[in-house]
């Protein structure tokens, strides 16, 4: 997508589609909307006036009203998009509105559009958020449909006020595009079914993304896992005919200080059948997206490599299938993780924590000073938080606070849950150091307690994205399917990792 800017009056811009935002500035409690066009362009205001007078425009969020033959404008069509209450319009809403604009244009096979940025929001930030929305909104999930349209928005102009600092806006657009394309990469990896996204293919895709972004990448097979004594990871892989892959991605800018080193560890189960503790067949097909943690880290490393923050980042992907083969591990088996801890495997379907255990140890061994893992880890997090928030778990409140700030800036919703010693009692084993399930109650937390056993004293955050990595319903700005959640937040975290607490806003 080519994205440029224009400081001309929107009504004079020749474009197949002009997207204008309309907010509702009525007072709280007021029943009648007070629609307000977010542009001071007189000709455009005149064009909108009759629609407002006829109550065809209310400003309600995501309302879409087309004017297919606007009078007195250079644009061929206008799409008025409702932005919601005027005082509630933030970059998050703008990002979504831009996504709606993209999808609306695609639905009509319009490949070029102009979007007016609201002057009330800071323009560079607005340009970035709009770019993110436009690019993520252009993503399709119909790869394997013969009747797919392959309609894309190829060219966008952002209409900005005359006094704008173009340099800053261009920089923001470039950054927004990198973030959104990386998020789309994560989505495209997650979208592939497991027969087309094996551990080997996922590792090769990670390598390709690293190459594109100037990030070092090494891929290891089962021999290396055995050499590293990754007994927990290997125990999951042993039931599958597909070989496991361990991917190590290194972003090491020349001038970056030796410390901190951010370690990003992703769960890459390319298919989770449950293993011998097999899942019910209803809904099992969803378990192709059990590699979303790994896909998130691929997207994040790509963006980090391209945005070049002055901080070291290490990415580890634990890629395998979880299958019930003749060689599969069985309930009751005891496995020894890389750090020597013994694990009683009570349920082979609690496999994500097993692969992450060794992945977290290895990230520490390779020098990570701060750890973040992302995983579609538990159904319990979906019970607790539904589809709207990523579950956040941490042993370090300051570090978690930083991540939550990054999430807020990035427009991704995340919610912290407790990590407290009492929960550890649920995963004590009679015959080994720990067991891999903690029973029904607090399942997302006891899973986090398990991971915590493998991070020693490092500040660590666990992101449970089981409910958020895959949208179950269409949104106006994003089709149902893989969301790419986490990428933007993790990149923001890397960029702000060395900020002092006072500086990070
Ligand atoms: N991959 C699943 C978790 C999951 C559930 C992801 C729903 C996405 C949507 C994970 O490996 C799993 O099977 N977890 C079990 C753990 C249990 C056996 C302790 C679960 O949550 O039921
Ligand atoms: Mn499982
Ligand atoms: Zn799983």
């Amino acid at each position: 997508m080519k994205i440029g800017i224009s400081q001309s009056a929107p009504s004079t811009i020749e474009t197949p589609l002009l997207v204008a935002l309309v907010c509702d500035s009525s007072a709280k409690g007021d029943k009648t909307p007070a629609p307000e066009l977010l542009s001071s362009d007189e000709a455009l205001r005149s064009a909108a006036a009759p629609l407002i007078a006829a109550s065809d425009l209310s400003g309600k969020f995501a309302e879409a009203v087309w004017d297919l033959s606007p009078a007195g404008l250079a644009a061929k069509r206008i799409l008025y998009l409702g932005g919601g209450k005027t005082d509630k319009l933030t970059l998050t809403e703008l990002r979504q509105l831009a996504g709606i604009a993209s999808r609306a244009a695609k639905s009509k096979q319009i490949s070029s559009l102009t979007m007016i940025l609201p002057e009330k929001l800071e323009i560079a930030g607005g340009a970035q958020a709009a770019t993110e929305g436009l690019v993520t909104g252009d993503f399709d999930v119909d790869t394997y449909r013969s009747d797919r349209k392959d309609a894309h928005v190829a060219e966008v102009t952002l209409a900005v006020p005359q006094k704008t600092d173009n340099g800053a806006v261009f920089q923001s657009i470039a950054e927004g595009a990198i973030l959104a394309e990386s998020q789309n990469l994560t989505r495209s990896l997650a979208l592939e079914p497991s027969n087309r996204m094996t551990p080997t293919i996922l590792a090769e895709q990670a390598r390709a993304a690293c190459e594109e972004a100037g990030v070092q990448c090494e891929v290891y097979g089962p021999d290396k896992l055995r050499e590293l004594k990754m007994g927990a990871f290997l125990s999951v892989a042993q039931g599958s005919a597909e070989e496991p892959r361990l991917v190590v991605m290194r972003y090491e800018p020349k001038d970056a200080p030796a410390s901190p080193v951010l370690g990003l560890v992703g769960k890459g189960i390319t298919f989770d059948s449950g293993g011998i503790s097999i899942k019910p067949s209803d809904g099992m097909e969803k378990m192709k997206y059990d590699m979303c943690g790994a896909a998130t880290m691929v997207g994040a490393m790509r963006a980090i490599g391209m945005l070049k923050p002055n901080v070291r980042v290490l990415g580890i992907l634990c890629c395998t299938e979880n299958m019930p083969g003749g060689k599969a591990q069985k309930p009751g088996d005891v496995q020894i993780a890389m750090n020597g801890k013994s694990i009683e495997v009570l349920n082979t379907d609690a496999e994500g924590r097993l692969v992450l255990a060794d992945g977290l140890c290895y990230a520490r061994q390779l020098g990570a000073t701060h750890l973040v893992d992302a995983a579609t880890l538990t159904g319990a997090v979906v019970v607790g938080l539904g589809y709207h928030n990523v579950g956040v778990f941490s042993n370090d409140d300051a570090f978690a606070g930083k991540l939550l700030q990054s999430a807020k800036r990035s427009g991704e919703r995340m919610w912290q849950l407790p990590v407290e010693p009492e929960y550890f009692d649920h995963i004590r084993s009679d015959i080994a150091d720990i067991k891999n399930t903690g029973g029904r109650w607090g399942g997302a937390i006891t899973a986090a307690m398990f991971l915590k056993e493998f991070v020693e004293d490092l500040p660590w955050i666990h992101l449970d994205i089981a409910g958020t990595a895959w949208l179950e319903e269409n949104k106006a700005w994003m089709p149902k399917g893989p969301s790419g959640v986490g990428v933007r937040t993790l990149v923001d975290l890397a960029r702000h990792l060395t900020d002092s607490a006072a500086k990070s806003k």
Side-chain angles (χ1 to χ4, degrees), residues 7 14 27 120 206 273 321 328-329 407 481 486 496:
Q7 299 189 343
E14 276 184 41
K120 72 184 278 286
S273 70
E321 290 183 335
Q329 71 176 330
H496 289 88

Side-chain angles (χ1 to χ4, degrees), residues 260-264 301 304 311-315 367-372 399 490 493-495 497:
V261 178
L262 179 62
L264 304 176
M301 290 303 292
I304 288 167
V311 60
R312 290 170 193 262
V313 187
L314 168 70
T369 61
H370 293 67
L371 293 171
V372 183
F399 189 32
L490 290 173
L493 180 69
R495 299 177 95 185
L497 192 65

Side-chain angles (χ1 to χ4, degrees), residues 163-187:
K163 52 189 186 300
T164 303
D165 167 5
N166 288 358
V169 173
F170 275 122
Q171 172 79 16
S172 299
I173 291 173
E175 292 185 3
I178 288 172
L179 285 164
E181 281 158 10
S182 301
Q183 184 177 347
N184 284 352
L185 168 65
T186 294
R187 294 163 81 193

Side-chain angles (χ1 to χ4, degrees), residues 14 37 42 102 121 138 144 179 182 198 226 250 259 279 324 338 343 384 401 407-409 441 465 498 501 503:
E14 276 184 41
L37 184 73
E42 279 310 327
S102 239
L121 297 176
D138 197 35
Y144 295 110
L179 285 164
S182 301
T198 61
R226 277 190 285 269
R250 284 191 181 89
S259 155
K279 288 179 182 295
M338 185 182 177
I343 305 166
K408 188 155 254 171
R409 274 195 294 264
W441 310 117
I465 56 174
T498 54
K503 246 171 51 191

Side-chain angles (χ1 to χ4, degrees), residues 1-4 15-19 66 79 97-115 130-140 149-158 177 180-181 184 476-477:
M1 190 182 294
K2 214 176 122 242
I3 304 180
T15 174
L17 172 61
L18 180 65
V19 180
W66 291 84
L79 171 62
L97 291 163
I100 298 175
S102 239
R103 303 196 65 69
K106 278 155 67 79
S107 74
K108 291 202 184 312
Q109 313 253 30
I110 300 169
S111 62
S112 165
L113 66 86
T114 297
M115 181 166 178
T131 301
E132 291 169 7
L134 286 156
V135 174
T136 51
D138 197 35
F139 182 88
D140 290 315
K149 297 280 186 299
D150 286 334
H152 288 290
V153 179
E155 210 184 333
V156 170
T157 302
L158 297 176
E181 281 158 10
N184 284 352
W477 56 91

Side-chain angles (χ1 to χ4, degrees), residues 155-394:
E155 210 184 333
V156 170
T157 302
L158 297 176
V160 299
Q162 268 178 0
K163 52 189 186 300
T164 303
D165 167 5
N166 288 358
V169 173
F170 275 122
Q171 172 79 16
S172 299
I173 291 173
E175 292 185 3
I178 288 172
L179 285 164
E181 281 158 10
S182 301
Q183 184 177 347
N184 284 352
L185 168 65
T186 294
R187 294 163 81 193
S188 67
L189 297 174
L191 186 63
E192 291 296 320
S194 74
N195 65 325
R196 295 166 180 275
M197 188 50 65
T198 61
T200 307
I201 298 173
L202 179 52
E204 283 318 310
Q205 295 285 320
R207 194 200 287 282
C210 286
E211 224 151 79
E212 188 191 357
V215 171
Q216 292 174 50
C217 180
E218 283 159 289
V219 176
Y220 300 117
D223 290 344
K224 177 78 174 190
L225 300 193
R226 277 190 285 269
E227 190 188 307
L228 290 169
K229 300 195 161 45
M230 291 190 162
F233 184 172
L234 279 166
S235 77
V236 177
Q238 74 189 40
S240 170
E242 290 289 339
E243 283 192 358
R245 289 289 181 266
L246 172 71
V247 181
V248 178
M249 305 177 280
R250 284 191 181 89
Y251 169 70
E252 294 171 336
K254 265 202 320 294
D255 303 325
S259 155
V261 178
L262 179 62
L264 304 176
V265 182
K267 169 179 174 182
I269 303 293
T270 59
F271 190 74
D272 180 12
S273 70
I276 296 298
S277 312
I278 199 160
K279 288 179 182 295
S281 50
D282 246 12
M284 199 201 268
E285 73 283 353
K286 288 189 182 147
M287 285 303 113
K288 67 176 178 179
Y289 80 81
D290 211 19
M291 35 59 74
C292 278
T296 302
M297 297 324 189
V298 174
M301 290 303 292
R302 176 188 185 270
I304 288 167
M306 291 182 164
L307 293 170
K308 304 194 185 346
N310 198 31
V311 60
R312 290 170 193 262
V313 187
L314 168 70
I316 307 267
L317 313 178
C318 304
C319 309
T320 177
E321 290 183 335
N322 184 25
M323 296 290 280
K327 292 198 168 138
Q329 71 176 330
K330 301 161 293 285
D333 287 1
V334 173
Q335 311 294 356
I336 312 293
M338 185 182 177
N339 67 351
K341 288 207 172 155
S342 57
I343 305 166
E344 185 184 10
V345 178
L346 287 182
N347 189 320
T348 64
D349 197 11
E351 84 298 341
R353 64 199 77 182
L354 295 174
V355 304
L356 289 174
D358 284 332
L360 288 164
C361 285
Y362 194 43
R364 184 185 152 86
Q365 190 181 94
L366 292 179
T369 61
H370 293 67
L371 293 171
V372 183
D373 72 75
T376 46
L377 202 64
T378 66
V381 85
V382 195
V383 174
L385 296 175
Y387 295 123
H388 309 301
N389 275 277
V390 172
V392 177
F393 305 81
S394 180

